[in-house]
Amino acid sequence: MSAQHADHGAPVHLARSGAILVVTIDNAPVNALGVAVRRGILAAIEEGDADPEIAALLLVGAGRNFIGGADIREFGKPPQAPLLTELCNRIEACRKPVLAAIHGAALGGGLEVALAAHYRLAMPDARLGLPEVQLGLLPGAGGTQRAPRLIGAAAALEMMLSGRHLGAPEALALGLVDSLGEGTDTTAAGLRALDALLQARAPVRRTRDAGALADRAATLAAIEAVQAEAGKKWRGLFSPLKIIEAVQAAATLPFDDGLALERKLFLQCLDSPQRAGLIHAFFAEREVQKAPETRHAKPRAIASVGVVGGGTMGAGIAVAVLDAGLPVTMIERDDAALQRGRAHVEKVYDAQLAKGRITAEARSAVLARLQGSTRYEDLAAADVVIEAVFEDLAVKQAVFAELDRVCKPGAVLATNTSYLDIDAIAASITRPADVIGLHFFSPANVMKLLEIVVPRQVADDVVATAFELAKRLRKVPVRAGVCDGFIGNRILAVYRQAADALMEDGASPYQIDQAVREFGFAMGPFQVADLAGGDIGWATRKRRAATRDPRARYVQIADRLCERGWFGQKTARGYYLYADGARTGTPDPEVLAIIDAERQRAGVSPRSFSNEEILRRYLAAMINEGANVVHQGIALRPLDVDVTFLHGYGFPRYRGGPMKYADMVGLPAILADIRAFAQEDPLFWTPSPLLVALVERGASFESLNQAG
């Protein structure tokens, strides 16, 4: 291959291989489509088209990817020419064959570039996808018009609406690529494929002319099928509906008209508050991976993990660790408990086997890495031990005394407490620097959130190890400080109080749940209480009773239900009735009667609330306590609160999280609401000092994320 103006400092460089112009995108780390890359590719296409000695062009990525997508650093900035749409149109219009040789990621705009090429080859490690829906967008550079013409409406819609990545064999089977390359040298594989095309005198083959939409009846039926389930499947979401509309245009309009409509719909998505919320979530999830301790401390080795406790939580944690490929030693107090713990773990894999997600061999191989014991001594070699026993400080301290006795020096000792004082656990043993909180959310093998709770005396490399473990377990880690409930459960306790006050003041639990669902949560607070089990909250309230402020309002309705043994789904009744083991409850007239009696006892005259009034109180309580959590340093930044609520508490992702939502509503409006509610209950509705300070200086929560 002879070099041709190979400016290797530029993000696109060119080389000649006989009559083929090799165009290499080299914009580390993922070859994102920044303006310099777009200009470089455009210039290369112009040059190749004009040069009579060039017979064909090869597009290839340097490093580990073809093109990872748009340059996220350009998000929110004015667009610069050439737009990606213009670039894709110019690639497609080239009079000489253009082949995209894809390895690694060809995602979003990267795949749109490949779709504009005349031929596509995928290497074994290729990952192809149009995941724009996850950012509240749609593929805006011809993706909604070219993909359906290549692979049909049904497959294109599934790909764009799920945002999932396709491997090379599936992409070939669908017709998204033409051939599979062999080996690891993408350029060599691309050159071989182009040589074969040139020898066969293969024509320029434009995707805009591809015929997968030719069967009009089947195409429209596929679009109608997706439209029929859109309301339920993408409830409240903006961009999925626009993707469907764009594919409908591909099926019914000439290509250029469809492209013009795609651009219009893309700009509508860009302008949507959902896009702002989803992009905030995208960046926040990257930001939470960093903590002050991880910047300079290296994690300790993690080759084996111990789990103390085989109940629902311990078993879920064991599954999460086994899924990461690590061996697990589970400790229980006796053989019967150990058998139950192992059965909990096996049940998860049996369900996966029944659904065809794993093979019997894979199930056996995973379970072979699970050892059980009733002797703490069998944790002597473990690198990390996670305690998941009953939520009682004395019980946990007794476990840690045993771990202190048997674990090797340097082992990380973690507690899965939801509320308890980890400083007190750490102080009770001889190696407090090794103790950290790893607060998993139930079910621990499914829920993505992992609160990494950092006590006073912990060593920095222990914090770094916790973040490394989170990465290995594919969890979303959020660093939290020590307080009752950390970030999530501390805020939950406050907005649950707001919901309880609303209930006593006149709203039914069923109306409150409905208002919260309409906002975008999957479940309302009383449905969640029934799912989690009312006895857990009851135990917490009893524990806090001695320290409760006597001036604070205390709604006793939940206690009345618990006194009757109505703990929710597990007892077939709580706030709702669950007939015959049903997962979805129905309203219970007896609960409404109990609420009425409690209102009379408390001297409350019930009044009616609109759903909008309910939401304003519910969210203001959440946001105000979120501000307190940031103000006190329990959360490093507002975005840590947002990620906690997106992944642990069902906050609708397209709204970005409670703190992002507050910014979008406007902090002055939130503060005005809190001050108005304070007329009724000044103690509960004390505005957060941080919220007051931000409003006074005209700043947002986002400004604190940037400072962090």
Side-chain angles (χ1 to χ4, degrees):
M1 196 188 296
S2 61
Q4 176 181 317
H5 33 254
D7 174 3
H8 287 277
V12 177
H13 31 95
L14 311 182
R16 286 277 292 275
S17 176
I20 295 171
L21 181 63
V22 179
V23 183
T24 303
I25 298 106
D26 189 2
N27 184 28
V30 296
N31 295 337
L33 283 162
V35 63
V37 173
R38 298 196 300 277
R39 285 175 182 159
I41 299 172
L42 184 65
I45 298 293
E46 300 281 8
E47 183 171 324
D49 219 0
D51 187 338
E53 292 184 13
I54 298 294
L57 294 87
L58 174 64
L59 296 180
V60 68
R64 292 190 297 188
N65 298 292
F66 175 65
I67 300 172
D71 189 338
I72 54 180
R73 288 169 298 197
E74 291 184 6
F75 283 9
K77 294 180 181 169
Q80 290 180 273
L83 294 179
L84 185 57
T85 321
E86 294 161 5
L87 173 62
C88 289
N89 290 346
R90 182 63 188 91
I91 292 169
E92 192 172 56
C94 186
R95 291 166 302 166
K96 296 167 183 177
V98 179
L99 181 134
I102 301 164
H103 75 295
L107 301 174
L111 182 54
E112 288 180 296
V113 166
L115 292 175
H118 307 130
Y119 297 92
R120 282 157 296 284
L121 169 140
M123 302 301 283
D125 66 341
R127 288 181 297 115
L128 299 88
L130 294 168
E132 287 86 349
V133 70
Q134 293 165 1
L135 299 181
L137 296 171
L138 53 76
T144 67
Q145 304 304 297
R146 291 190 177 95
R149 282 174 165 81
L150 263 189
I151 64 174
L157 280 166
E158 191 279 328
M159 183 178 167
M160 289 186 274
L161 291 169
S162 68
R164 71 186 180 90
H165 300 175
L166 279 60
E170 186 182 1
L172 179 68
L174 285 175
L176 200 61
V177 300
D178 305 295
S179 58
L180 301 184
E182 292 176 1
T184 55
D185 189 335
T186 309
T187 303
L191 288 170
R192 285 195 298 272
L194 254 184
D195 278 333
L197 287 167
L198 289 172
Q199 281 181 15
R201 291 202 164 88
V204 163
R205 191 191 58 172
R206 298 191 170 96
T207 304
R208 63 186 290 155
D209 302 324
L213 297 177
D215 185 341
R216 191 175 169 78
T219 296
L220 294 177
I223 294 167
E224 281 165 19
V226 174
Q227 281 170 331
E229 60 180 14
K232 189 175 170 190
K233 204 165 182 181
W234 298 287
R235 183 172 66 96
L237 287 173
F238 184 79
S239 68
L241 305 179
K242 300 297 168 186
I243 288 170
I244 297 167
E245 198 178 330
V247 172
Q248 194 164 22
T252 55
L253 298 178
F255 183 81
D256 290 325
D257 294 350
L259 213 52
L261 181 66
E262 177 194 78
R263 182 72 190 160
K264 185 177 146 196
L265 296 173
F266 177 79
L267 292 172
Q268 286 176 15
C269 290
L270 208 54
D271 207 30
S272 157
Q274 293 194 2
R275 195 266 324 176
L278 288 162
I279 284 184
H280 172 76
F282 176 83
F283 282 116
E285 283 159 0
R286 276 148 186 76
E287 214 46 49
V288 292
Q289 313 283 341
K290 306 168 197 161
E293 297 87 354
T294 63
R295 291 196 175 111
H296 53 84
K298 291 220 167 349
R300 298 178 186 178
I302 311 170
S304 64
V305 175
V307 176
V308 182
T312 306
M313 202 45 144
I317 294 168
V319 170
V321 176
L322 290 168
D323 284 347
L326 291 160
V328 174
T329 302
M330 180 187 280
I331 303 293
E332 259 294 2
R333 60 183 178 275
D334 55 43
D335 287 330
L338 197 56
Q339 286 303 112
R340 284 194 298 274
R342 189 171 182 93
H344 284 315
V345 173
E346 287 175 355
K347 188 177 170 189
V348 173
Y349 291 108
D350 289 343
Q352 289 183 10
L353 184 64
K355 289 174 184 163
R357 289 187 187 152
I358 56 166
T359 63
E361 295 75 30
R363 175 191 175 279
S364 300
V366 170
L367 291 172
R369 283 189 273 109
L370 175 65
Q371 301 300 314
S373 177
T374 56
R375 298 170 62 254
Y376 278 97
E377 284 77 6
D378 289 329
L379 296 175
D383 296 308
V384 177
V385 179
I386 304 166
E387 163 278 309
V389 301
F390 186 67
E391 191 76 347
D392 178 279
L393 187 60
V395 173
K396 290 185 186 286
Q397 284 176 328
V399 169
F400 271 79
E402 291 295 316
L403 299 181
D404 196 13
R405 179 175 67 82
V406 303
C407 290
K408 67 184 182 184
V412 172
L413 310 180
T415 173
N416 174 57
T417 180
S418 307
Y419 290 97
L420 299 177
D421 184 350
I422 300 175
D423 284 320
I425 295 172
S428 70
I429 65 170
T430 63
R431 41 171 128 177
D434 293 332
V435 176
I436 195 158
L438 290 178
H439 179 213
F440 289 82
F441 286 70
S442 188
N445 53 306
V446 176
M447 294 290 278
K448 288 285 188 201
L449 181 65
L450 180 61
E451 277 184 316
I452 294 176
V453 191
V454 179
R456 268 195 308 273
Q457 298 186 64
V458 70
D460 285 358
D461 65 344
V462 170
V463 180
T465 307
F467 274 87
E468 175 61 25
L469 181 65
K471 186 176 170 186
R472 304 250 305 253
L473 301 185
R474 295 201 292 279
K475 300 292 184 195
V476 177
V478 175
R479 184 193 185 281
V482 174
C483 68
D484 201 332
F486 319 130
I487 296 174
N489 282 344
R490 171 173 163 177
I491 298 170
L492 166 68
V494 173
Y495 68 81
R496 262 310 305 267
Q497 280 177 266
D500 287 345
L502 276 161
M503 176 168 57
E504 192 170 70
D505 285 340
S508 79
Y510 315 120
Q511 185 196 0
I512 295 166
D513 280 352
Q514 182 195 12
V516 169
R517 285 196 307 272
E518 283 172 359
F519 179 76
F521 282 85
M523 300 170 82
F526 300 102
Q527 290 173 289
V528 171
D530 276 1
L531 180 65
D535 47 336
I536 296 168
W538 195 27
T540 302
R541 291 192 298 279
K542 287 177 186 170
R543 177 169 59 80
R544 290 177 173 167
T547 55
R548 191 183 300 125
D549 187 331
R551 298 168 300 152
R553 178 176 181 178
Y554 182 67
V555 176
Q556 297 180 28
I557 295 164
D559 295 348
R560 296 295 89 83
L561 302 187
C562 290
E563 285 158 9
R564 287 167 168 77
W566 300 356
F567 296 143
Q569 285 191 21
K570 60 186 168 191
T571 56
R573 69 189 305 183
Y575 290 97
Y576 293 81
L577 281 167
Y578 300 88
D580 305 321
R583 305 289 292 168
T584 308
T586 54
D588 185 346
E590 280 191 66
V591 168
L592 294 176
I594 290 166
I595 294 168
D596 276 336
E598 279 298 304
R599 286 170 184 156
Q600 287 173 14
R601 185 198 56 74
V604 172
S605 300
R607 57 197 167 102
S608 64
F609 292 89
S610 68
N611 284 9
E612 192 245 357
E613 286 173 315
I614 287 169
L615 267 176
R616 276 169 55 193
R617 287 171 186 257
Y618 190 78
L619 293 167
M622 189 185 293
I623 292 158
N624 196 48
E625 192 61 15
N628 284 333
V629 161
V630 175
H631 181 59
Q632 293 164 16
I634 300 300
L636 290 175
R637 303 146 297 200
L639 67 81
D640 294 275
V641 175
D642 286 337
V643 172
T644 299
F645 273 78
L646 292 174
H647 286 283
Y649 296 84
F651 199 95
R653 185 179 177 82
Y654 63 86
R655 297 190 190 274
M659 315 314 271
K660 176 64 177 177
Y661 175 75
D663 277 350
M664 290 200 276
V665 169
L667 300 193
I670 302 288
L671 182 58
D673 269 353
I674 290 167
R675 286 181 165 149
F677 304 149
Q679 304 296 314
E680 301 163 26
D681 186 347
L683 184 65
F684 181 79
W685 292 107
T686 303
S688 168
L690 178 61
L691 183 57
V692 172
L694 288 172
V695 170
E696 280 174 359
R697 66 173 193 260
S700 62
F701 286 125
E702 181 58 38
S703 66
L704 303 178
N705 292 333
Q706 289 155 359

